[in-house]
Amino acid sequence: MSNADELLRIEGIRKTFPGVVALDGVDFELRRGEVHVLLGENGAGKSTLIKMLSGAYTPDAGRILAGGKEVRIHGAQDSERLGIATIYQEFNLVPDLTVAENIFLGRQPRRLGMIDRKRMEADAEVLLARVGVNVSPHARVRELGIARLQMVEIAKALSLNARVLIMDEPTAVLTSEEVDKLFAIVRKLREDGVGIVFITHHLEEIAALGDRVTVIRDGKSVGQVPASTPEDELVRLMVGRSIEQQYPRERADRGAALLSVEGLTRDGVFHDVSFEVHAGEVVGVAGLVGAGRTEVVRAVFGADPYDKGAVKVGGSALPKYDVNAAMTAGIGLIPEDRKGQGLVLDASVEENLGLVTLRSATRAGLVDLKGQREAAARIAGQLGVRMAGLGQHVRTLSGGNQQKVVIGKWLLADTKVLILDEPTRGIDVGAKVEIYQLINELTAAGAAVLMISSDLPEVLGMSDRVLVMAQGRIAGELSADEATQDSVMALAVSNPTTDPTTDKTGTEAPRGH
């Protein structure tokens, strides 16, 4: 390799935060026209490393070289000036601005001193077409779903004409069809000589797209291997141990129906949805994007209204559109958007774990702080939350540890029916297995679990029964023995009704690995 091929080099980088060594002597190097995968568990230090390259953090020791010259990156402008663009896992978009305004925020084209909106929107349209997403440049960002938000982020990064593109979990919220489009974009960028740092928890993507892999564990670089390295070896490097079973479902005895949903209907969104979830079982919910899965469970939890039907817990009907009644009855919801809906990011681990039980821990207007703290410490220890202490802000935890906190608050509330919406999105393989084991413990203790996932192997591996939704209806139910990727997809693409009130469709397939 000639020096001209080296775009970026990191030597002996160290970064500490109060009580935590995030990075400890990490080395990394990126060449022109390659996809270099950065692999590691949540909390291993990957996000800290890319935040140094984007200017959010500065290293305590070590150095960064760009084009063979040592550089100091003190902010986003320094990073952009060096030709480095970063697509973060969590979106960096302004909800009330249009798609075009977000793509060119701070870099709007001007004419006669005024923003040239016509040119800006035309340029945005070209970029959106390049990433293969059908979104109007005039649309407000807040109107878009998660998958389209991700594609807008990619279009924004492409607008910078970067020589180094950092992609942090870019496929975490994308369907198979969208992932294929993204990979085509990445391969074209690689052909154009762009160096790409690619972070993913989907191990099968590494061989499909990558050239080399650097593995980080506990803040240290523990190896650099070819992208063709077998998955079990990558897992061993990443977590320091072998994982024998990816989906360790332990069947529990099925008890009485804890949750009964009868004829649930919301005009134009979902229609006549009926199912039961019994004590001791995991019921998976599969379907295409737009099939109405999330909308149904939010209505069950009381977060959204519905027009007809009934939700019963233990045989007792719940009032409509009443989250407090659902929680009192023992229903918990872990939402798809854990940061936006499941956590108070600027509160501590202890405060987040106590959110659901705060009311029951209050007597005469006073909160039992000691009891809350002891309970939080117990559940954080049980879940293995990696943190400096209970006072650490949740915002600073890794994605996997944030998800454990979301789950933990419902465990403290002694939840009978736990609804999981995309429970392992953006979480590494080690943390996934820990969450699956937790699901086993819940069902063994007699709880009922309803799990939505766009990851078909996860649905198939962890569910006792699978409900498949299509166009706002239950298209079919499959036992664990009947459920295969083919049988699920056949139902997911079916047309269960011609009822005009259920015209909401999805064209993207769930991810299958």
Side-chain angles (χ1 to χ4, degrees):
M1 180 194 74
S2 69
N3 289 337
D5 288 329
E6 184 181 282
L7 293 175
L8 197 64
R9 177 178 290 274
I10 293 167
E11 296 179 348
I13 286 290
R14 179 179 171 85
K15 181 66 179 177
T16 61
F17 299 100
V20 178
V21 179
L23 294 173
D24 188 11
V26 169
D27 298 317
F28 179 82
E29 159 242 324
L30 180 68
R31 301 170 187 165
R32 187 183 308 277
E34 79 161 343
V35 176
H36 196 143
V37 178
L38 195 58
L39 187 64
E41 288 190 276
N42 292 109
K46 306 184 303 296
S47 293
T48 301
L49 183 60
I50 65 171
K51 284 179 179 176
M52 288 189 188
L53 295 174
S54 63
Y57 297 153
T58 55
D60 299 329
R63 59 184 196 147
I64 300 171
L65 296 93
K69 297 179 180 179
E70 185 171 353
V71 296
R72 301 198 180 277
I73 305 174
H74 296 292
Q77 288 185 334
D78 287 345
S79 181
E80 287 183 14
R81 193 160 45 245
L82 291 166
I84 302 171
T86 304
I87 302 171
Y88 289 104
Q89 182 180 350
E90 304 299 335
F91 306 128
N92 190 24
L93 300 170
V94 183
D96 290 323
L97 296 183
T98 67
V99 169
E101 288 167 339
N102 269 280
I103 289 174
F104 292 103
L105 188 62
R107 300 174 291 111
Q108 299 94 330
R110 293 181 176 272
R111 185 169 180 268
L112 302 177
M114 304 288 289
I115 293 175
D116 188 344
R117 301 195 65 85
K118 186 174 181 181
R119 180 183 159 196
M120 180 175 70
E121 288 164 358
D123 289 348
E125 199 158 11
V126 170
L127 289 164
L128 293 166
R130 188 176 171 191
V131 300
V133 61
N134 184 22
V135 173
S136 167
H138 309 281
R140 298 279 171 188
V141 160
R142 69 167 59 257
E143 300 166 1
L144 305 181
I146 287 178
R148 286 183 170 83
L149 290 175
Q150 177 69 82
M151 302 308 274
V152 171
E153 281 278 24
I154 295 167
K156 180 179 176 181
L158 293 180
S159 72
L160 295 167
N161 294 316
R163 293 183 298 121
V164 173
L165 182 59
I166 302 169
M167 309 182 87
D168 186 8
E169 291 287 345
T171 66
V173 296
L174 304 184
T175 61
S176 295
E177 183 181 344
E178 291 162 338
V179 169
D180 289 343
K181 290 178 182 176
L182 174 64
F183 280 16
I185 293 165
V186 171
R187 291 185 182 110
K188 177 64 170 64
L189 291 169
R190 177 168 57 187
E191 290 172 7
D192 293 342
V194 175
I196 296 153
V197 181
F198 197 89
I199 298 175
T200 182
H201 290 313
H202 296 287
L203 298 183
E204 77 287 348
E205 294 177 354
I206 294 172
L209 191 66
D211 296 302
R212 291 186 294 161
V213 182
T214 289
V215 183
I216 297 180
R217 185 171 75 236
D218 296 330
K220 303 180 190 304
S221 39
V222 295
Q224 186 183 105
V225 295
S228 57
T229 301
E231 288 186 13
D232 57 353
E233 175 63 13
L234 292 175
V235 170
R236 190 192 64 76
L237 284 168
M238 185 168 60
V239 304
R241 66 187 190 279
S242 296
I243 292 177
E244 303 301 331
Q245 193 176 357
Q246 194 171 358
Y247 302 105
R249 176 65 181 136
E250 297 170 4
R251 312 290 173 191
D253 292 335
R254 175 170 144 157
L258 294 184
L259 174 67
S260 300
V261 176
E262 301 172 358
L264 212 62
T265 299
R266 182 178 173 188
D267 291 341
V269 182
F270 50 82
H271 185 80
D272 196 25
V273 173
S274 299
F275 60 87
E276 290 184 338
V277 188
H278 292 246
E281 74 170 346
V282 177
V283 174
V285 186
L288 303 182
V289 172
R293 297 169 299 167
T294 293
E295 291 83 352
V296 166
V297 299
R298 284 180 56 83
V300 168
F301 185 62
D304 291 340
Y306 54 90
D307 301 312
K308 290 186 291 185
V311 176
K312 297 180 180 179
V313 176
S316 299
L318 296 182
K320 295 180 181 179
Y321 205 17
D322 190 336
V323 169
N324 285 330
M327 289 168 55
T328 300
I331 300 181
L333 171 65
I334 294 169
E336 178 183 17
D337 180 5
R338 62 175 171 261
K339 287 199 172 184
Q341 300 171 359
L343 295 165
V344 180
L345 293 177
D346 290 322
S348 68
V349 172
E350 178 183 338
E351 290 165 333
N352 272 276
L353 285 170
L355 285 174
V356 180
T357 55
L358 187 60
R359 180 179 297 178
S360 61
T362 303
R363 297 286 184 275
L366 298 174
V367 179
D368 179 10
L369 293 176
K370 182 182 178 183
Q372 287 282 84
R373 185 172 299 112
E374 289 174 350
R378 174 175 53 81
I379 206 71
Q382 179 186 333
L383 297 180
V385 178
R386 294 184 184 177
M387 57 183 179
L390 289 173
Q392 183 175 349
H393 280 192
V394 162
R395 181 186 297 279
T396 63
L397 297 180
S398 68
N401 286 299
Q402 287 178 348
Q403 189 72 326
K404 289 178 183 179
V405 172
V406 179
I407 294 172
K409 70 180 183 183
W410 292 111
L411 295 185
L412 282 176
D414 197 23
T415 301
K416 297 177 185 174
V417 179
L418 187 60
I419 302 171
L420 304 167
D421 193 354
E422 305 289 358
T424 64
R425 178 172 69 82
I427 292 176
D428 66 77
V429 64
K432 281 183 181 182
V433 172
E434 291 176 350
I435 288 173
Y436 299 150
Q437 294 287 15
L438 183 59
I439 290 171
N440 288 334
E441 292 172 18
L442 285 166
T443 54
V449 173
L450 183 65
M451 182 180 74
I452 294 173
S453 178
S454 297
D455 186 335
L456 271 183
E458 179 173 82
V459 172
L460 300 176
M462 290 301 296
S463 301
D464 301 309
R465 288 185 290 130
V466 179
L467 304 174
V468 185
M469 288 193 68
Q471 299 184 43
R473 292 179 181 258
I474 301 288
E477 178 183 318
L478 300 168
S479 68
D481 293 334
E482 295 169 328
T484 64
Q485 291 207 21
D486 289 342
S487 63
V488 170
M489 283 305 301
L491 288 169
V493 300
S494 66
N495 183 12
T497 179
T498 55
D499 189 319
T501 65
T502 56
D503 59 351
K504 185 174 181 181
T505 61
T507 58
E508 304 106 342
R511 300 194 56 167
H513 313 316

